[in-house]
Amino acid sequence: MKKLFAFLMAAMLLALCACSGADTSAPANDSNAPQGDDSSGDAAEVQYDYQLKAGETTEVYDVAFDEMVTVTVDPASTRDGSIDLRSGIYFDNCTFNGGLTILGDYHAMVSLGGGCSFGEGSVVTCKEVTSGAGEDMGLEDNFVKVFVSCEGVAVETEYAVGVVTDGPDVTFNGTVYSKQELAPDTALLGVYSMCENDGMSYMKLAIGEDDSIEVLD
């Protein structure tokens, strides 16, 4: 899974972005050190707010979140930034009982490892930071992406975002997408929402390990 995380970070030609208003977020720990239990074996204080600065990646393991988790991408991570400025956060063996909110416009990937789980009614909510940031976005731009390797993930958004799965079904704005049905012979299935004529349109892509892309019906 971590290899796929690195692969996607390097290949973010496919990334996706935004199309309606959003909240600003809370402060967070800038450390790249994995979060979880401390070295003494005692449970560390749970952190619920993460802020990704331009080019920063963070890993979080083995945490049960009982409240909403918020990941905010610093506005410095714009679509005009270099590939080195892309940001990412990788969660694994984490339980989201209060849901996950992602605030960001461009250049970020939030990855949910195979050990993650979501409580009943908990969803991933994506919001843009800059109002209207995603109105003119296309696939060549660096949208915010959610990479899914765990079961039971539902993503909700009103702006342009990419949802990518390496196997599990995902629910995106109320529709279930199955990689097994849509792209069984490729490494990844990507479903991208985009702002179009004051509404939302969706594109499905079969993505190969060699970065090949096939647009699906």
Side-chain angles (χ1 to χ4, degrees):
M1 168 61 200
K2 292 184 70 177
K3 291 182 179 179
L4 281 171
F5 174 69
F7 159 69
L8 284 173
M9 286 296 294
M12 268 187 95
L13 302 169
L14 301 169
L16 303 198
C17 238
C19 123
S20 93
D23 303 329
T24 55
S25 85
N29 189 344
D30 291 338
S31 172
N32 291 332
Q35 304 294 312
D37 289 348
D38 62 22
S39 59
S40 68
D42 295 329
E45 182 178 354
V46 176
Q47 177 180 335
Y48 286 96
D49 297 291
Y50 298 86
Q51 183 168 347
L52 298 180
K53 296 186 182 298
E56 183 178 69
T57 59
T58 301
E59 298 178 1
V60 184
Y61 299 97
D62 307 318
V63 182
F65 298 106
D66 292 325
E67 302 173 10
M68 175 71 72
V69 176
T70 301
V71 174
T72 303
V73 182
D74 189 275
S77 299
T78 66
R79 65 175 173 178
D80 296 323
S82 72
I83 190 170
D84 295 332
L85 295 181
R86 290 171 184 156
S87 304
I89 186 166
Y90 173 75
F91 293 97
D92 203 9
N93 294 323
C94 292
T95 301
F96 297 87
N97 291 317
L100 170 63
T101 295
I102 302 167
L103 304 176
D105 297 334
Y106 313 102
H107 273 38
M109 181 171 66
V110 177
S111 296
L112 302 170
C116 289
S117 61
F118 283 75
E120 183 177 356
S122 296
V123 301
V124 179
T125 303
C126 300
K127 300 179 180 182
E128 64 186 1
V129 173
T130 306
S131 180
E135 291 180 358
D136 298 321
M137 295 294 290
L139 283 180
E140 70 277 8
D141 295 294
N142 283 309
F143 288 51
V144 168
K145 287 199 302 186
V146 181
F147 179 68
V148 178
S149 279
C150 58
E151 302 287 346
V153 175
V155 179
E156 296 180 355
T157 185
E158 295 180 356
Y159 79 116
V161 160
V163 178
V164 179
T165 174
D166 64 355
D169 291 356
V170 294
T171 302
F172 191 16
N173 281 350
T175 298
V176 177
Y177 295 92
S178 169
K179 178 185 178 301
Q180 184 60 35
E181 293 180 3
L182 296 171
D185 299 323
T186 57
L188 307 167
L189 169 67
V191 183
Y192 301 94
S193 63
M194 288 177 282
C195 304
E196 189 173 75
N197 299 325
D198 296 324
M200 301 292 294
S201 64
Y202 297 88
M203 179 177 292
K204 301 185 291 292
L205 302 175
I207 306 169
E209 291 184 357
D210 60 353
D211 297 347
S212 61
I213 300 172
E214 177 186 355
V215 179
L216 305 173
D217 294 333

